[in-house]
Amino acid sequence: QKEVEQNSGPLSVPEGAIASLNCTYSDRGSQSFFWYRQYSGKSPELIMFIYSNGDKEDGRFTAQLNKASQYVSLLIRDSQPSDSATYLCAVNTGNQFYFGTGTSLTVIP
Amino acid sequence: DVKVTQSSRYLVKRTGEKVFLECVQDMDHENMFWYRQDPGLGLRLIYFSYDVKMKEKGDIPEGYSVSREKKERFSLILESASTNQTSMYLCASSPSDLADTQYFGPGTRLTVL
């Protein structure tokens, strides 16, 4: 079982819709959780991090963490074509950082 | 703003050559990392360092070595490049807490012919 699992997609949503990206992790001791955005040919850039159960909002982005279910998600409201990218979930277990393989998102104008 | 730079954006080498990839960060971060990223496999950790002259193997260290003589600089060395080392190489750094965010450099696309 992989440490971090994501649906590779592709996920397509129309412009203005809510995009929902999901991630599960295997280590119950994981401490911190991150979402990165990666445009094609570019390096990952941090969007958000979350440490505690519940929701964390930053502009159009909301990260949701449920440690009991070992589940973390990213919601993108009012999706824009510029949001089209691969989204990487990352988990820090205290010993190591693990990345998922990413979900490809396409926002259709 | 954290800045992580890598010595080359694109590099083409021949099989058997020794290859040096350099990474420099300007935020006095304790930890530095080298990953490779391949389609369908995601990011895989090669080596990381939590202090000068310290290094730890990641998930795929075979065929690679690293050097960290100064805090701001972390080098990845391919002793004898092979075609299966063709990949995107990403360097990252993070502050003293290993649970903290990692910041990435722009990446080096290495092709080994």
Side-chain angles (χ1 to χ4, degrees):
Chain A
Q1 182 186 5
K2 290 183 180 178
E3 295 286 342
V4 180
E5 303 226 33
Q6 294 181 256
N7 187 328
S8 62
L11 173 67
S12 294
V13 299
E15 184 174 354
I18 295 175
S20 177
L21 304 160
N22 305 312
C23 172
T24 58
Y25 59 95
S26 61
D27 188 335
R28 282 199 170 274
S30 297
Q31 301 172 1
S32 50
F33 308 86
F34 304 82
W35 282 101
Y36 287 81
R37 177 177 61 201
Q38 186 174 24
Y39 293 112
S40 181
K42 302 293 185 182
S43 60
E45 57 179 327
L46 179 72
I47 301 174
M48 293 188 70
F49 60 88
I50 186 167
Y51 296 151
S52 305
N53 271 331
D55 294 0
K56 180 181 179 183
E57 188 173 317
D58 184 0
R60 295 187 296 113
F61 299 95
T62 299
Q64 299 175 317
L65 174 62
N66 183 328
K67 288 189 176 181
S69 300
Q70 295 174 242
Y71 178 92
V72 58
S73 65
L74 180 70
L75 301 178
I76 307 174
R77 290 182 299 281
D78 187 24
S79 296
Q80 301 298 309
S82 59
D83 294 326
S84 298
T86 297
Y87 290 79
L88 304 175
C89 172
V91 172
N92 193 310
T93 64
N95 294 320
Q96 201 162 327
F97 225 80
Y98 292 98
F99 286 87
T101 53
T103 299
S104 174
L105 171 67
T106 300
V107 180
I108 303 165
Chain B
D1 255 4
V2 177
K3 191 162 185 185
V4 182
T5 57
Q6 295 183 229
S7 49
S8 305
R9 286 288 281 125
Y10 300 94
L11 208 52
V12 180
K13 296 291 182 181
R14 297 209 173 271
T15 301
E17 280 193 80
K18 191 169 186 175
V19 182
F20 293 87
L21 302 181
E22 292 215 313
C23 175
V24 178
Q25 51 95 2
D26 67 356
M27 285 302 292
D28 202 35
H29 282 174
E30 304 293 330
N31 308 305
M32 297 187 76
F33 307 81
W34 274 108
Y35 295 89
R36 62 177 285 178
Q37 187 176 33
D38 302 285
L41 297 178
L43 282 160
R44 292 182 291 168
L45 181 65
I46 305 171
Y47 268 96
F48 68 99
S49 168
Y50 53 87
D51 200 354
V52 176
K53 296 191 186 293
M54 304 302 290
K55 60 185 179 185
E56 294 285 343
K57 293 180 180 179
D59 299 317
I60 52 162
E62 296 78 19
Y64 303 95
S65 62
V66 291
S67 172
R68 193 165 181 204
E69 296 296 319
K70 294 185 177 180
K71 191 175 185 179
E72 66 271 18
R73 190 179 297 268
F74 192 34
S75 301
L76 179 70
I77 303 150
L78 287 67
E79 295 290 340
S80 177
S82 63
T83 55
N84 63 13
Q85 292 178 310
T86 292
S87 186
M88 169 70 92
Y89 288 87
L90 290 159
C91 175
S93 73
S94 73
S96 56
D97 186 346
L98 277 176
D100 215 327
T101 309
Q102 293 193 14
Y103 298 91
F104 285 86
T108 296
R109 173 73 64 183
L110 172 66
T111 301
V112 182
L113 301 175

